[in-house]
Amino acid sequence: MRYPHAEIESKWQGFWEEKQVYKTDFSNIDKKLYHLNMFIYPSGAKLHTGHWYHYGPSDSWARYKRLRGYNVFEPMGYDAFGLPAENNAIKTGIHPLENTLQNIKDIKVQLKKIGCMYDWNTELMTCVPEYYKWNQWLFLQLYKKGLAYRKKAPVNWCPNDQTVLANEQVHDGKCERCGTEVIQKNLSQWFFKITEYAEELLQGLDTINWPDKTKLMQRNWIGKSIGAEVDFKVYLPLGTVDGFNEVIKIFTTRPDTLFGATYMVLAPEHPLVDKLTTRELKTKVEEYKESIKSLTEIERTSTVKEKTGVFTGAFAINPVNNKKIPIWIADYVLLTYGTGAIMAVPGQDERDWEFAEKFNLPIIRTVQPPDDFTGKAYLEDGPAINSEFLNGLFVEDAKKKINHWLEDNRIGKATVNYRLRDWLISRQRYWGTPIPIIHCEKCGEITVSEDELPVELPYDVDFKLGGESPLARNEKFINVKCPNCNGSAKRDPDTMDTFVDSSWYYFRFLNPKFSEGIFDKSVSDNWVPVDMYVGGAEHATMHLLYARFIHKFLRDLGLAKGDEPFQTLVHQGTITNAGAKMSKSKGNVVNPDLFTSKFGSDVFRLYLMFMGPYDMGGDWSDKGISGTDRFVNRVYDLFNEFKDLQNETTVKEKYDLNSLSDQDKFVYRKVNQTLHKVGEEINHFRFNTAIASLMELLNNFKDISTCSKEIQLYALQRLAIMVSPLAPHLGEECWSLLGNSTSIFEKPFWYQVDESALIEDTVSIAVQVNGKLRATIDAPLNSEQEAVKKLIFNEEKVTRHTAEKTIVKEIYVKNKIYNIVVK
RNA sequence: GCCGAAGUGGCGGAAUUGGUAGACGCGCUGGACUCAAAAUCCAGUAUGGCUCACCCCAUGUGCCGGUUCGAGUCCGGCCUUCGGUACCA
């Protein structure tokens, strides 16, 4: 009989919903397990195969944990603000709110079809005032602590989206979302001071169970480097105006090479450049700065590009030897890193060497390279040379000594620098959380008071592109009385990056209707951190870093207990189609409905899991789905064959192997071996091998009709339970076919493995001659070498290769291998 | 360039601490059932050689070399693909 998937799925989904099987009891915290999936962005493209691949297997893991006695909380919600809804509005005229709500409605229907254990009582969306009010509250807390601030900064501007993009959102100089070439623009922007937590964000990585790859990416992103800051005085020729006492501060990781600094380089945008440049070179410098401006960030920072730069005419004094060194500007020095100025030490830096060679600047080695060294700049360790009081010291010691010297002479100090930059949260867009700030000409920046929150996003706006942002153009919204002086003032026209929404949503899930605070601390104290977090690796340096930062901030406010939000992290792999990531714009989205309508949800879920390792993903192909379809049908047929078996016989928890017939023993062993294996595999997200071992077990049930009824029942009960996390509807149906009136997930349990049944009586031992397999023999378990030896030298296959040769050595590994070495 | 991951049959992929390479599935071939087809079931399926009949022999986990009784697994040197990053001083 064909497995009637549509009927069975709606039956069990209806049952789970009606009985509220997946409603979480938050008061039961003994074996609490917060299982979170990155929530979904409700786009018009609806659910595609990639979403299924993320949510289906992840739910199977959670179901397994539930069967093992955990009180699992698995929520789902919508990351509902963001650019695409607004872009869609610009294109179609449909309001982002209407559009988003409709998408959510559609997506929810699709989500339910997967058959996950989502607790729909805690569903949330970020685009409603009840949620985004707390973004604003969070903003105010950050503001109070000086961790939210505004500054003018060159930002990435997408001319198409008319919005600012974070560095992380620019790929290959193009807008991550629409692919338009990004240009630079100077705007007043809001930032969150994530850099304040740089060190802790780095240290905390050692305490969490995340993929090494992801931790490494965060480490690199934070980019800690230890070095020193050194002040270089600007050289004042005779006759220069007195009072010009500028100092150029540089950052270096190699203070030990200070004696080799033969010139300086400032970033072209460095504020001192205009002051320093001599009259004769003004035009040249201006020309250079202009030429840089037209370059995109990518062209400018390309490593293959030849070095460019110009001399400013000014000189600085190297503080260690009072030598006069020229000051240049060059685009390979970035204003945004360190101090925007470097001392150039061509002897020990490849970039400086290249630059020095091109512009004929002097090169002094300050570390002695080995005799056979043939390269240019020498970056390795060695004794210092040409460095007076540092001479002879190796790099580490030289660094220590020069740092002391710098501090003693008040010229500089040891310091630590991070690559991490502050989090730019402003978006000149409509569809997001309004920033709760009022700008008054008299009083300046005024915060909206907490009891005035939320600052509601107005519905009626002109969200057409161009010029000012939609909120800035909305008179009703933007014009407001100053809370301080009651004069006319304006609201901040920006909205927040949606990563703000997702930086704390896991707290909110625990009680999304809570109105007395950002979240219900009485629940979150027991349920945060998230025990298992599953989501895409593309968030490694954005969402996952921001969320850690905000968690630490909330902890400092006394709202969270631990230091980290996500204890264990797993990335599902990416499913590509024809080698490319699935996206609506590429038109290569695979619609799961095609398969679920034909095969059913469980078959599709099984197939996605069976394709390969979960964290690897892979290129989509529907070849092979018939394999899991056959499996499901065979299982279903088997249970129909033994329908109501529970009414015919009773079964024990455990059987003595010696009391069983050969066939019973065989099945009993295979069942227990599989039970052991399947649990282990699911626990480690290895669904493909879990399913393979279930298929193997099913193959071993070929002659199950010759088993005793007891063992038949023993086997089928366990099969139903093992199937249920992976194919939940099928599992429930099989369980009920046996004659059960309860649901597996309503009264979850897992069978104990009979350890004594894991071991076989006989083992097959590989016999090798000189490492080559010549025969395999069966021997009783744990046979001694002498006994095995007798067996193998009776084998013609073996003696053929040992005859007329000298046996040099024999190696026996119990139950595994017998290797004879001959000459 | 740097950092990271991965290269195994026609295909997706298995393989504890080094110990029988190719589990499981797809596909394919042959057979059973059928008037026929689909579905299902049974058997076979790494490559080459021998009379593929049965044994058997040789080769084989990206390439070259090494360690070892024994290497997909460990070591050294490459090649290719995919991710991350882009002069970070």
Side-chain angles (χ1 to χ4, degrees):
Chain A
M1 183 185 168
R2 213 51 222 155
Y3 169 66
H5 59 83
E7 188 187 309
I8 287 171
E9 278 159 21
S10 68
K11 169 179 157 188
W12 287 105
Q13 283 168 19
F15 178 91
W16 296 329
E17 190 159 335
E18 191 192 319
K19 293 278 185 98
Q20 293 270 299
V21 171
Y22 305 129
K23 185 177 161 79
T24 309
D25 172 9
F26 289 106
S27 67
N28 175 9
I29 56 167
D30 278 354
K31 283 187 92 177
K32 75 94 181 172
L33 195 151
Y34 189 168
H35 178 77
L36 184 65
N37 292 289
M38 289 182 186
F39 60 174
I40 191 164
Y41 179 77
S43 80
K46 314 281 155 53
L47 279 199
H48 57 68
T49 303
H51 293 113
W52 266 81
Y53 187 78
H54 175 189
Y55 296 136
S58 175
D59 175 69
S60 285
W61 183 86
R63 283 182 182 274
Y64 172 70
K65 286 299 193 185
R66 187 180 171 102
L67 296 186
R68 296 310 300 259
Y70 287 90
N71 183 22
V72 177
F73 173 50
E74 189 180 18
M76 183 45 70
Y78 312 93
D79 189 11
F81 270 140
L83 218 43
E86 194 166 343
N87 286 341
N88 180 69
I90 292 159
K91 227 195 297 177
T92 65
I94 302 168
H95 195 279
L97 180 65
E98 313 298 343
N99 181 241
T100 302
L101 291 178
Q102 185 59 48
N103 287 342
I104 287 176
K105 217 173 135 192
D106 296 343
I107 281 169
K108 189 171 175 180
V109 172
Q110 288 184 300
L111 278 171
K112 287 200 166 182
K113 281 202 175 143
I114 308 179
C116 295
M117 299 197 297
Y118 300 135
D119 181 350
W120 290 106
N121 301 291
T122 67
E123 185 184 16
L124 64 74
M125 60 181 84
T126 56
C127 63
V128 292
E130 298 80 64
Y131 188 90
Y132 69 69
K133 169 182 178 178
W134 302 106
N135 281 341
Q136 295 170 343
W137 182 86
L138 182 67
F139 180 100
L140 293 179
Q141 308 315 306
L142 285 157
Y143 188 88
K144 270 192 230 166
K145 304 269 183 198
L147 296 173
Y149 66 95
R150 210 154 90 120
K151 71 172 179 194
K152 275 224 158 175
V155 292
N156 305 304
W157 177 262
C158 173
N160 180 51
D161 290 344
Q162 291 279 298
T163 192
V164 170
L165 301 171
N167 286 333
E168 301 95 329
Q169 293 172 307
V170 180
H171 297 312
D172 296 334
K174 294 189 173 92
C175 173
E176 174 190 59
R177 296 207 153 103
C178 66
T180 308
E181 194 87 17
V182 170
I183 61 164
Q184 300 299 303
K185 197 170 174 177
N186 229 4
L187 283 178
S188 268
Q189 303 292 320
W190 285 101
F191 288 84
F192 285 169
K193 214 174 193 171
I194 190 172
T195 51
E196 188 87 5
Y197 285 83
E199 186 60 30
E200 213 203 319
L201 287 166
L202 188 65
Q203 300 290 329
L205 291 171
D206 295 330
T207 69
I208 47 182
N209 182 22
W210 285 22
D212 289 336
K213 196 181 80 179
T214 310
K215 291 207 251 186
L216 188 67
M217 276 168 72
Q218 290 212 350
R219 282 195 190 99
N220 292 340
W221 196 261
I222 295 165
K224 180 180 185 174
S225 50
I226 297 164
E229 279 178 3
V230 184
D231 293 338
F232 280 63
K233 281 200 180 114
V234 175
Y235 168 73
L236 300 174
L238 284 174
T240 327
V241 193
D242 275 350
F244 186 82
N245 199 19
E246 291 292 353
V247 155
I248 303 172
K249 193 182 278 297
I250 62 101
F251 173 74
T252 178
T253 53
R254 294 295 302 276
D256 60 298
T257 63
L258 199 46
F259 285 91
T262 52
Y263 63 102
M264 279 186 97
V265 186
L266 305 190
E269 308 87 344
H270 196 286
L272 284 178
V273 171
D274 288 341
K275 282 191 190 173
L276 290 172
T277 308
T278 56
R279 208 172 302 128
E280 306 83 66
L281 287 163
K282 271 253 150 47
T283 6
K284 266 198 149 172
V285 165
E286 282 311 312
E287 271 170 25
Y288 183 71
K289 284 172 76 171
E290 265 318 298
S291 75
I292 295 306
K293 254 184 203 160
S294 67
L295 291 177
T296 67
E297 178 106 336
I298 291 307
E299 285 167 327
R300 207 179 132 170
T301 56
S302 163
T303 34
V304 283
K305 186 179 139 269
E306 208 183 321
K307 297 266 176 297
T308 61
V310 289
F311 179 42
T312 61
F315 292 85
I317 304 289
N318 186 338
V320 282
N321 52 18
N322 291 317
K323 278 194 185 149
K324 199 172 109 180
I325 59 173
I327 302 173
W328 286 63
I329 62 171
D331 62 354
Y332 80 92
V333 174
L334 309 173
L335 186 65
T336 44
Y337 184 77
T339 59
I342 62 158
M343 64 172 195
V345 188
Q348 273 75 230
D349 186 287
E350 281 166 344
R351 295 154 300 176
D352 297 346
W353 182 292
E354 200 191 319
F355 194 82
E357 232 178 14
K358 184 169 173 190
F359 295 105
N360 274 318
L361 293 156
I363 296 169
I364 302 170
R365 285 197 192 278
T366 58
V367 178
Q368 181 63 55
D371 292 342
D372 57 350
F373 180 72
T374 53
K376 294 178 172 180
Y378 179 68
L379 312 178
E380 306 299 312
D381 201 3
I385 51 170
N386 302 321
S387 298
E388 296 178 20
F389 58 87
L390 298 178
N391 282 343
L393 293 176
F394 280 68
V395 172
E396 275 317 301
D397 293 332
K399 277 182 182 171
K400 277 182 199 146
K401 188 156 185 186
I402 189 75
N403 283 344
H404 275 123
W405 186 89
L406 288 168
E407 275 167 43
D408 291 346
N409 292 280
R410 294 168 183 262
I411 291 168
K413 59 171 200 280
T415 174
V416 173
N417 205 6
Y418 298 90
R419 201 193 81 115
L420 183 69
R421 297 173 200 180
D422 278 338
W423 175 12
L424 169 62
I425 62 136
S426 298
R427 297 294 180 271
Q428 285 65 46
R429 299 295 286 188
Y430 163 68
W431 193 232
T433 305
I435 287 170
I437 291 285
I438 291 165
H439 300 282
C440 171
E441 282 195 16
K442 269 189 244 157
C443 315
E445 231 167 67
I446 310 286
T447 55
V448 175
S449 77
E450 283 180 26
D451 50 15
E452 297 278 320
L453 296 183
V455 176
E456 276 207 44
L457 190 66
Y459 183 86
D460 287 314
V461 290
D462 174 13
F463 45 72
K464 296 266 174 339
L465 282 179
E468 284 185 296
S469 77
L471 288 182
R473 271 178 279 157
N474 185 301
E475 302 280 328
K476 261 192 190 153
F477 174 82
I478 204 80
N479 294 316
V480 71
K481 293 269 178 264
C482 171
N484 215 23
C485 69
N486 213 31
S488 60
K490 284 191 188 301
R491 286 193 188 281
D492 195 287
D494 289 353
T495 52
M496 296 182 205
D497 180 5
T498 54
F499 282 126
V500 176
D501 312 359
S502 56
S503 67
W504 60 278
Y505 75 119
Y506 55 95
F507 280 105
R508 189 74 189 169
F509 264 133
L510 297 161
N511 186 354
K513 294 173 191 89
F514 191 65
S515 57
E516 288 149 53
I518 182 165
F519 49 80
D520 189 346
K521 192 171 180 295
S522 72
V523 183
S524 65
D525 275 353
N526 290 325
W527 282 78
V528 170
V530 169
D531 298 281
M532 175 58 76
Y533 195 31
V534 181
E538 67 272 20
H539 292 108
T541 50
M542 296 181 262
H543 161 60
L544 286 168
L545 196 59
Y546 298 144
R548 292 182 61 221
F549 156 53
I550 293 299
H551 186 277
K552 288 170 195 301
F553 174 70
L554 288 167
R555 176 206 58 197
D556 291 346
L557 290 182
L559 290 171
K561 275 169 145 182
D563 295 324
E564 292 287 340
F566 313 122
Q567 207 34 246
T568 301
L569 173 73
V570 167
H571 296 304
Q572 82 278 11
T574 313
I575 299 295
T576 54
N577 191 13
K581 219 177 211 177
M582 283 185 206
S583 78
K584 204 183 177 185
S585 58
K586 286 195 200 104
N588 65 344
V589 174
V590 177
N591 183 358
D593 296 347
L594 246 58
F595 303 97
T596 52
S597 60
K598 186 171 174 198
F599 299 104
S601 151
D602 281 349
V603 168
F604 191 57
R605 184 198 284 223
L606 283 171
Y607 178 59
L608 292 172
M609 291 191 281
F610 190 58
M611 278 184 0
Y614 186 55
D615 57 349
M616 300 278 274
D619 204 46
W620 172 254
S621 158
D622 58 11
K623 288 205 180 88
I625 191 165
S626 52
T628 50
D629 182 46
R630 277 178 204 148
F631 171 73
V632 164
N633 276 285
R634 283 171 69 200
V635 170
Y636 184 66
D637 286 344
L638 182 68
F639 280 88
N640 270 303
E641 197 184 331
F642 293 94
K643 196 160 183 273
D644 294 322
L645 188 62
Q646 262 177 211
N647 304 337
E648 295 172 39
T649 187
T650 51
V651 66
K652 288 195 284 184
E653 267 296 295
K654 202 171 172 178
Y655 287 86
D656 181 359
L657 282 168
N658 298 320
S659 72
L660 298 176
S661 70
D662 282 354
Q663 172 63 10
D664 280 359
K665 201 195 271 183
F666 172 77
V667 167
Y668 185 81
R669 276 204 169 117
K670 291 295 174 197
V671 166
N672 276 288
Q673 286 163 0
T674 309
L675 191 63
H676 177 76
K677 167 109 175 163
V678 166
E680 200 61 18
E681 298 300 272
I682 298 179
N683 200 29
H684 292 97
F685 284 82
R686 293 191 293 253
F687 307 107
N688 54 333
T689 46
I691 295 166
S693 69
L694 283 176
M695 288 173 166
E696 216 172 329
L697 182 66
L698 191 62
N699 292 341
N700 285 323
F701 282 177
K702 201 164 40 173
D703 299 318
I704 197 168
S705 54
T706 63
C707 286
S708 67
K709 278 208 165 16
E710 277 180 75
I711 294 301
Q712 284 170 353
L713 183 57
Y714 180 93
L716 291 181
Q717 283 180 334
R718 279 157 184 77
L719 178 59
I721 295 299
M722 285 189 279
V723 162
S724 67
L726 301 165
H729 311 86
L730 176 69
E732 291 274 33
E733 187 64 19
C734 291
W735 186 244
S736 92
L737 279 172
L738 285 177
N740 291 292
S741 51
T742 53
S743 136
I744 294 174
F745 292 100
E746 200 180 14
K747 298 208 169 8
F749 75 102
W750 186 263
Y751 285 106
Q752 278 282 314
V753 175
D754 181 353
E755 300 282 339
S756 64
L758 298 182
I759 314 150
E760 299 284 353
D761 297 331
T762 59
V763 288
S764 122
I765 291 170
V767 186
Q768 299 181 339
V769 180
N770 285 349
K772 277 182 188 156
L773 182 74
R774 295 303 177 188
T776 57
I777 55 149
D778 287 332
L781 186 74
N782 293 331
S783 297
E784 295 302 329
Q785 178 159 2
E786 283 309 307
V788 178
K789 186 172 181 167
K790 258 182 219 157
L791 289 172
I792 60 177
F793 280 97
N794 279 330
E795 288 279 326
E796 196 270 330
K797 286 180 197 169
V798 178
T799 50
R800 189 191 308 163
H801 296 278
T802 55
E804 293 166 30
K805 289 191 175 138
T806 326
I807 293 172
V808 181
K809 199 173 172 185
E810 287 167 65
I811 295 130
Y812 175 59
V813 180
K814 213 177 236 183
N815 302 326
K816 275 192 179 153
I817 201 158
Y818 199 110
N819 191 10
I820 306 157
V821 186
V822 296
K823 242 185 182 168

